[in-house]
């Protein structure tokens, strides 16, 4: 029996309202004290090395293999504390001067919360570095953000991060802060925030404070992933909902300025376990997880009335387009890659 395809639904229930509050003022205060830097500088100071075509266990039974993939280093492969989720890149941004992928990770342990982080990975050098996303306070302090960060998209300097029950958090990459400009060391690796006149970020050199928030206006809709469609005259921000065993998870597209808060359109996706969604005009790409951490996922492609599936690795997550390829990231231990396939 064929699985149902995508179907349009009422878009009004997915409306967002802007809840900026004092976020930009708090972030600006931190930037004034610490000093901001650029993504290009973070990439130049990368302190970890990815492996081209490593972690082949992530591919499972996939055939043909991806056109290209990069595996995180042994420490990031083996940890059970951090799990990669969201993916975007310099091509989405349009204003970053070097090729780079950005990956969001969430901290899984229930105790000792360390929030969410972003990885800046250079496909040219295979070098990468993590930065901590933080919530700044008007008093000059800051702390970790305890969310899943299941998807990210970047446009210009703005990084949109999915907050499952609250909508979209926004971070300004122009406020990417380097703790080394404010002090000689990186502080206590077990602490975060300002303590004793010093800045701490669990040992990370770079922090990025939140600057805006788009809150879901009605209770119920969940925001699991984020993507960007740049194929039309007006770029569209895409977000939607993962559902474990239900094919009626939703996906919607907003004009990039989010004016009015209501999406331009919304659909049910017709498949369960969708971890990422991306449109290229009228063609949709859905990243579907398998039933376990040892089972391959699928790439679902909807175009018009046609729906088909293509091979995908184990544990596929969020989606982005860069260099003419469709890219995703895989999440499971010892199977963590950023990989690209033909559109």
């Amino acid at each position: 029996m064929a699985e149902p395809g995508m179907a349009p639904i009422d878009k009004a229930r997915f409306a967002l309202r802007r809840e900026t509050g004092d976020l930009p003022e708090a972030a600006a205060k931190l930037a004034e004290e610490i000093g901001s830097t650029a993504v290009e500088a973070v990439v130049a100071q990368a302190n970890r090395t990815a492996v081209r075509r490593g972690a082949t266990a992530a591919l499972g039974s996939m055939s043909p293999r991806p056109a290209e993939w990069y595996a995180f280093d042994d420490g990031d492969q083996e940890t059970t504390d951090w799990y990669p989720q969201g993916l975007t890149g310099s091509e989405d941004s349009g204003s970053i001067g070097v090729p780079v992928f950005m990956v969001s990770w969430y901290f899984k342990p229930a105790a000792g919360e360390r929030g969410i982080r972003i990885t800046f990975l250079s496909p040219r050098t295979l070098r990468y570095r993590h930065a901590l996303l933080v919530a700044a306070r008007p008093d000059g302090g800051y702390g970790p953000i305890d969310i899943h960060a299941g998807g990210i998209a970047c446009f210009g300097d703005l990084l949109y991060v999915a907050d499952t029950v609250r909508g979209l958090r926004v971070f300004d990459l122009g406020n990417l802060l380097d703790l080394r400009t404010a002090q000689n060391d990186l502080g206590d690796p077990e602490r975060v925030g300002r303590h004793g006149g010093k800045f701490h970020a669990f040992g990370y050199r770079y922090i990025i404070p939140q600057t805006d928030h788009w809150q879901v206006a009605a209770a119920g809709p969940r925001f699991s992933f984020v993507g960007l469609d740049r194929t039309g005259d007006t770029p569209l921000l895409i977000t939607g909902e993962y559902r474990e065993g239900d094919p009626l998870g939703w996906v919607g597209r907003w004009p990039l300025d989010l004016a009015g808060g209501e999406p331009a359109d919304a659909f049910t996706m017709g498949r369960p376990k969708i971890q990422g969604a991306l449109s290229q005009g009228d063609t949709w790409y859905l990243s579907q997880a398998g039933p376990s951490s040892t089972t391959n996922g699928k790439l679902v492609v909807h175009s018009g009335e046609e729906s088909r599936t293509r091979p995908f690795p184990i544990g596929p997550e969020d989606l982005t387009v860069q260099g003419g390829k469709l890219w995703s990231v895989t999440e499971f231990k010892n199977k963590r890659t950023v990989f690209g396939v033909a559109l």
Side-chain angles (χ1 to χ4, degrees):
M1 183 177 183
E3 295 189 63
M6 297 181 69
I9 53 174
D10 178 20
K11 62 187 181 179
R13 64 186 294 258
F14 308 114
L16 296 166
R17 65 172 184 267
R18 197 170 195 173
E19 299 286 352
T20 303
D22 56 19
L23 290 168
E25 290 78 17
K29 180 176 177 62
L30 268 183
E32 184 178 348
E33 293 194 57
I34 296 174
S36 59
T37 189
V39 171
E40 293 87 345
V42 177
V43 172
Q45 294 296 322
N47 60 348
R48 294 172 179 262
T49 304
V51 178
R52 184 171 181 264
R53 301 198 168 190
T56 56
L59 306 184
S61 61
M62 183 179 177
S63 181
R65 289 186 167 194
E68 185 60 280
W69 71 94
Y70 312 110
F72 295 101
D73 73 9
D74 288 347
D76 286 328
Q77 292 291 343
E78 295 168 5
T79 181
T80 55
D81 290 343
W82 291 96
Y83 287 77
Q85 297 290 298
L87 180 68
T88 187
S90 50
E91 198 165 300
D92 278 349
S93 166
S95 65
I96 297 173
V98 296
V100 66
F101 289 106
M102 290 168 269
V103 180
S104 66
W105 304 61
Y106 79 98
F107 188 74
K108 191 168 185 176
E113 179 57 55
R114 297 203 172 197
I116 53 176
R117 69 187 187 188
I118 293 290
T119 300
F120 297 92
L121 166 65
S122 168
R124 285 180 177 172
T125 67
L126 300 187
R127 302 281 289 170
Y128 69 96
R129 188 157 198 147
H130 304 309
L132 190 70
L133 300 184
V134 299
R137 301 190 297 268
D139 66 1
Y142 57 92
I145 299 172
D146 181 14
I147 62 173
H148 193 69
I152 57 175
C154 186
F155 186 76
D157 287 334
L158 297 184
L159 180 71
Y160 297 86
V161 179
D163 182 329
T164 309
V165 297
R166 299 181 186 90
L168 297 171
R169 295 180 185 243
V170 185
F171 300 78
D172 186 347
L173 296 180
N175 272 351
L176 205 166
L177 311 183
D178 182 355
L179 299 188
R180 278 281 173 86
T181 63
Q183 57 198 36
N184 293 326
D185 58 49
L186 301 183
D188 187 339
E190 300 302 318
R191 306 185 81 174
V192 65
R194 185 199 300 264
H195 302 281
K198 294 186 67 174
F199 298 103
H200 308 268
F202 299 128
Y204 294 99
R205 175 172 174 174
Y206 300 96
I207 62 173
I208 312 172
Q210 184 179 345
T211 53
D212 212 343
H213 190 188
W214 287 88
Q215 175 85 38
V216 59
R222 296 168 71 84
F223 289 71
S224 304
F225 46 78
V226 190
L228 192 65
D229 185 343
R230 298 194 63 158
T231 57
D233 294 335
T234 302
L236 297 171
L237 190 69
I238 300 162
T239 185
E241 176 187 31
Y242 171 92
R243 290 194 184 184
E244 179 68 23
D246 183 349
L248 298 181
W250 67 275
V251 66
R253 296 186 286 196
W254 281 256
L256 231 297
D257 60 5
L258 297 174
E262 191 171 286
D265 50 23
F267 307 86
T268 54
M269 292 182 286
R271 305 273 180 142
K273 301 176 76 72
I274 299 301
Q275 300 275 28
L278 200 66
S279 66
Q280 295 276 280
D282 293 330
T283 299
W284 282 89
Y285 299 88
L286 309 178
S287 174
Q288 185 179 34
S292 74
S293 62
T294 61
T295 308
N296 280 72
K298 299 175 183 176
L299 177 64
V300 182
V301 184
H302 287 289
S303 183
E305 298 297 316
E306 180 186 1
S307 178
R308 58 191 176 90
T309 61
R310 289 168 49 186
F312 234 31
I314 296 169
E317 292 284 327
D318 207 21
L319 297 171
T320 193
V321 170
Q322 187 146 308
K325 297 183 182 69
L326 180 73
W327 294 83
S328 186
V329 58
T330 52
E331 70 167 328
F332 295 122
K333 180 181 176 182
N334 292 321
K335 299 171 183 175
R336 292 173 179 150
T337 68
V338 173
F339 69 92
V341 299
L343 279 165

